[in-house]
Amino acid sequence: TAKRVLGVTGSPSGLTLDRGHVVVGQYAMGLDPVGVEGKWSNATVGELIEFLNEKYSGKYLLVGRDKLDHVKGVRQKLLGYECFLEANPEFAGKTVLTQIALTTAEHNELQVQVMDVVNRINSKFGNIEHQPVVFFHKDIPYSQYLALLSAADAMVITSLRDGMNLTSHEYVICQREKKSPLVLSEFVGTYGSFNGGALGVNPMDTRAIAQAIKDALVMSDEEKLARWNLLHRQVLTNSASSFVSSFISDIESAHAEAERH
């Protein structure tokens, strides 16, 4: 794009301008895996994991945590989940989606649309003993959040457009024991870096989301392990420290190159 718009010469390493060479690189932003693992190892988190495992014993637990705005695709996720329950009635009484929707200062109309879908799913598939969607329109304490990620049988992220989405990285770290699958929008920056470890979906394709949820829940232990290993390797490789070190290294190299010329 830069070559077409600016009319400059490009190479795999960057762009050549009148003032010199501009280095262009791809730098995957990550998190601090050691820091997250330290918080995950806290005794409180372990107790909460045990509580959730007991609470949802015999059921499949799906989780999501997104801002409630048009970009994060919460409504698309719920529509896909509804399609999954309609197409797979054998899962209707034993699958729960716990969705944390972070409050934003706008999009009141979207909130109404999302709650309409939540209420429709719970009315259609729920009963006095079972609630298919547990919806939190607020954030929860970090210890509860880590426990929820750890107890999940799958995480579903259906952003219409997103950056690295480090929630997916936190999920991978918390899944060191269960190795549960990740359903991830193809329009999230993290998707490409995960090298096929996640189950990719087009968030505008309701049936594709439904099928990905089913694929995640019936996946063999061998495939879960193979996919998690891919995801975990990328989370460790694309950490916050590696982002900083690679970025600074390229800046220093570019500066040295400019000094030589």
Side-chain angles (χ1 to χ4, degrees):
T1 300
K3 289 193 292 183
R4 290 198 302 269
V5 174
L6 301 176
V8 297
T9 303
S11 68
S13 63
L15 303 171
T16 302
L17 306 181
D18 293 337
R19 294 179 298 171
H21 187 70
V22 177
V23 176
V24 178
Q26 180 176 335
Y27 308 95
M29 173 67 80
L31 46 71
D32 175 17
V34 176
V36 176
E37 288 175 358
K39 293 180 174 65
W40 178 81
S41 301
N42 185 279
T44 302
V45 175
E47 293 171 0
L48 289 169
I49 294 172
E50 291 183 10
F51 167 78
L52 291 171
N53 287 336
E54 182 177 347
K55 179 180 176 65
Y56 293 108
S57 177
K59 295 187 176 182
Y60 297 104
L61 176 61
L62 307 175
V63 299
R65 179 178 181 268
D66 314 89
K67 288 182 180 179
L68 190 57
D69 60 31
H70 290 287
V71 175
K72 295 297 184 177
V74 175
R75 184 172 180 271
Q76 284 73 17
K77 181 190 306 184
L78 290 165
L79 292 173
Y81 179 54
E82 181 181 33
C83 181
F84 162 74
L85 295 177
E86 289 174 343
N88 303 277
E90 68 275 16
F91 285 92
K94 56 183 181 180
T95 307
V96 177
L97 169 61
T98 297
Q99 174 65 49
I100 302 167
L102 306 182
T103 302
T104 58
E106 52 186 353
H107 304 307
N108 291 330
E109 181 182 348
L110 175 63
Q111 181 181 341
V112 172
Q113 294 173 351
V114 166
M115 291 311 301
D116 282 345
V117 182
V118 170
N119 293 332
R120 186 171 70 229
I121 293 173
N122 284 336
S123 297
K124 189 185 301 184
F125 301 103
N127 54 50
I128 196 171
E129 298 178 336
H130 176 67
Q131 185 176 345
V133 180
V134 178
F135 190 87
F136 292 96
H137 192 198
K138 62 177 184 178
D139 205 355
I140 61 175
Y142 196 62
S143 58
Q144 295 181 16
Y145 168 60
L146 294 181
L148 193 62
L149 296 184
S150 303
D153 293 294
M155 183 171 209
V156 185
I157 299 173
T158 53
S159 304
L160 306 184
R161 188 70 63 182
D162 208 347
M164 291 306 294
N165 196 302
L166 299 184
T167 298
S168 60
H169 289 225
E170 292 172 315
Y171 173 72
V172 172
I173 292 174
C174 290
Q175 282 291 323
R176 293 179 63 178
E177 295 181 356
K178 290 191 71 170
K179 311 291 193 298
S180 297
L182 170 65
V183 177
L184 185 63
S185 166
E186 296 170 349
F187 304 131
V188 173
T190 313
Y191 178 73
S193 67
F194 276 158
N195 294 332
L199 292 169
V201 294
N202 181 337
M204 300 304 296
D205 189 338
T206 302
R207 291 183 179 179
I209 296 173
Q211 185 59 53
I213 291 174
K214 182 177 182 180
D215 291 343
L217 297 184
V218 302
M219 187 179 293
S220 68
D221 290 340
E222 292 77 14
E223 184 177 353
K224 287 181 182 179
L225 177 60
R227 286 181 176 273
W228 183 84
N229 282 333
L230 279 174
L231 297 173
H232 190 241
R233 189 179 306 120
Q234 291 305 311
V235 168
L236 296 182
T237 301
N238 296 322
S239 64
S241 60
S242 65
F243 163 77
V244 172
S245 61
S246 61
F247 188 68
I248 291 178
S249 175
D250 281 1
I251 289 177
E252 292 175 343
S253 297
H255 178 70
E257 182 68 21
E259 287 291 309
R260 284 195 291 271
H261 295 282

